[in-house]
């Protein structure tokens, strides 16, 4: 969250920034808390839950997507934002559609890309970047109950080089029961 917030604060020209994310992200108010230190900034947030469904289905264009995007993004455009934070890792995969609907004058800031750049800067500044001449080994791990769905999404997002996925089934965590004296 912090890398995207820093990038959005640098990018805005009119101090009106929008944030879109999943319902959980928006309800957590994490972006609002992170932007609180930026005085004079007006923040408009909007949950866009169906965007994840579209991306996971491989739909990044088309009338139905544009209609949903228009519904989600119209309040942000009407608020006069000039910068929009894509606060979900799925959203950069449909950034062209988001840009098309929100308009060319709004700068998109990807939380995923800004976080990756921040991690890279940190690794380099501490001399921790990979220097080996041999190709890196990639390991793909998934959680959840549907390994096939994860594999299909991994192929869509990362390409055919995802050959093996190690699954870690999830379950309910047993919480200690409350004891009364």
């Amino acid at each position: 969250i912090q890398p995207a917030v820093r990038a959005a604060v640098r990018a805005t020209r009119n101090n009106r920034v929008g944030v879109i994310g999943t319902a959980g992200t928006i309800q957590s108010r994490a972006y609002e808390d992170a932007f609180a230190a930026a005085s004079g900034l007006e923040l408009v947030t909007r949950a866009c839950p169906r965007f994840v469904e579209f991306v996971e289905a491989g739909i990044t264009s088309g009338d139905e997507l544009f209609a949903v995007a228009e519904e989600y993004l119209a309040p942000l455009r009407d608020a006069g934002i000039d910068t929009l934070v894509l606060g979900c890792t799925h959203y950069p995969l449909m950034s062209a559609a988001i840009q098309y609907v929100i308009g060319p004058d709004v700068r998109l800031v990807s939380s995923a890309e800004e976080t990756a750049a921040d991690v890279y800067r940190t690794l380099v500044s501490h001399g921790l970047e990979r220097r080996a001449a041999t190709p890196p080994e990639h390991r793909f791990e998934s959680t959840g109950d549907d390994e096939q769905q994860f594999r299909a999404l991994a192929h869509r997002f990362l390409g055919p080089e995802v050959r093996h996925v190690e699954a870690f089934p999830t379950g309910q965590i047993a919480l200690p029961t409350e004891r009364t004296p």
Side-chain angles (χ1 to χ4, degrees), residues 69-80:
E70 179 63 35
E71 177 186 333
Y72 287 155
L73 301 174
L76 291 105
R77 191 177 50 243
D78 294 347

Side-chain angles (χ1 to χ4, degrees), residues 89-103:
T89 56
H90 286 64
Y91 297 175
L93 296 167
M94 59 182 299
S95 61
I98 292 170
Q99 189 76 71
Y100 176 77
V101 172
I102 198 71

Side-chain angles (χ1 to χ4, degrees), residues 5-170:
V5 168
R6 287 191 296 270
V9 169
R10 284 191 310 270
T12 187
R13 299 171 309 282
N14 69 3
N15 288 327
R16 288 190 206 122
V17 175
V19 176
I20 57 174
T22 63
T25 297
I26 298 303
Q27 289 170 0
S28 77
R29 301 178 62 94
Y31 277 97
E32 292 173 1
D33 292 345
F35 274 105
S39 63
L41 191 117
E42 180 183 333
L43 187 66
V44 182
T45 62
R46 182 88 163 140
C48 303
R50 291 212 45 217
F51 281 177
V52 171
E53 296 171 25
F54 283 107
V55 169
E56 289 188 356
I59 301 168
T60 58
S61 188
D63 292 342
E64 184 181 5
L65 171 61
F66 293 145
V68 170
E70 179 63 35
E71 177 186 333
Y72 287 155
L73 301 174
L76 291 105
R77 191 177 50 243
D78 294 347
I81 66 164
D82 71 350
T83 305
L84 178 63
V85 175
L86 307 181
C88 173
T89 56
H90 286 64
Y91 297 175
L93 296 167
M94 59 182 299
S95 61
I98 292 170
Q99 189 76 71
Y100 176 77
V101 172
I102 198 71
D105 295 331
V106 175
R107 166 124 192 280
L108 301 185
V109 174
S110 164
S111 62
E113 290 173 17
E114 293 300 328
T115 300
D118 208 47
V119 168
Y120 181 80
R121 283 188 294 274
T122 301
L123 291 172
V124 171
S125 69
H126 290 90
L128 298 173
E129 71 272 23
R130 186 175 193 284
R131 297 172 192 257
T134 58
E137 180 183 323
H138 295 100
R139 183 175 175 165
F140 299 93
E141 300 175 351
S142 73
T143 59
D145 299 328
D146 195 342
E147 186 179 340
Q148 285 302 105
Q149 181 184 11
F150 176 85
R151 190 181 308 278
L153 287 174
H155 280 277
R156 182 174 296 133
F157 295 160
L158 304 172
E161 52 275 349
V162 178
R163 290 181 181 85
H164 175 73
V165 174
E166 191 171 343
F168 292 91
T170 58

